[in-house]
Amino acid sequence: FLYDHGALFNLGFLGSVPNYGSIISNAVAINDTGQITGYSTYYEMGTYKGGRGFLYEHGVLNSLGTLSTDASGYGNSIPTALNNAGQIVGRYERFLLGETVGDRPFLYDQGTMFDLNDLIPPATGWVLLSATDINEAGQIAGTGTYNGVTMAFRLDPVIQVPEPTVLALLGIGLASIGVGRRPPPSTACRRGLW
């Protein structure tokens, strides 16, 4: 729900009315422009298909979708944070050959959902596991593994020309924050982490 100027508004839910089961809708963040993100149970033709993230703006609840589903269309996406530009981060359930293989972090920007692992150079040694926050500069905080060791990261957006409206996280600065020891600067620079 949204409580605004003394009135309570129901944000609704995604998909069709279920044949059985319950409907759950949960808001997790609101920004200064009044956009709200969260997740809702999702039904297609009355059949449960998991949960989907949503963006609520101008009185309309829109699904963020998901990047992966099993053969039946079941899948999940759960937002964790929203900035004033309407960029959303969270996690989605990843499927390979119809089987779940765990959660992966996503960025939702201008109507498109991206797996954050697809936006970083593959040779960095990082596997990003979760995205927990995004600030007004578009920096994303989360958790990942660097050469098998779990630690925090910060992604810094790099705007590419000629498509300045697409957030590309190539050439990002990945930093281990508060976990483990930071390598000497010369080693870190050679790895391309800073």
Side-chain angles (χ1 to χ4, degrees), residues 13 19 35 39 41 51 56 71 83 85 94-95 108 116 127-128 140 146 154 181 193-194:
F13 65 95
N19 293 332
Q35 294 174 311
Y39 57 91
T41 49
Y56 178 88
N83 68 13
R94 186 169 183 227
F95 291 87
Y108 182 86
L116 288 178
V127 176
L128 307 180
I140 300 169
Y146 176 68
R154 184 185 83 194
R181 297 171 67 184
L193 296 178
W194 285 269

Side-chain angles (χ1 to χ4, degrees), residues 64-121:
L64 303 182
T66 188
L67 289 172
S68 186
T69 64
D70 68 8
S72 74
Y74 174 88
N76 290 293
S77 62
I78 300 177
T80 54
L82 165 72
N83 68 13
N84 286 334
Q87 297 170 314
I88 300 168
V89 295
R91 62 184 169 83
Y92 75 96
E93 187 175 10
R94 186 169 183 227
F95 291 87
L96 287 175
L97 303 173
E99 298 294 321
T100 185
V101 292
D103 290 343
R104 296 285 290 258
F106 73 79
L107 166 68
Y108 182 86
D109 186 33
Q110 298 183 21
T112 303
M113 185 180 284
F114 303 93
D115 184 319
L116 288 178
N117 286 285
D118 294 339
L119 300 179
I120 63 172

Side-chain angles (χ1 to χ4, degrees), residues 12-52:
F13 65 95
L14 297 170
S16 63
V17 176
N19 293 332
Y20 60 91
S22 60
I23 297 171
I24 298 170
S25 185
N26 187 28
V28 297
I30 186 169
N31 66 17
D32 293 339
T33 67
Q35 294 174 311
I36 299 171
T37 193
Y39 57 91
S40 168
T41 49
Y42 181 69
Y43 293 85
E44 284 181 0
M45 298 179 61
T47 302
Y48 180 63
K49 298 293 183 175
R52 299 291 192 275

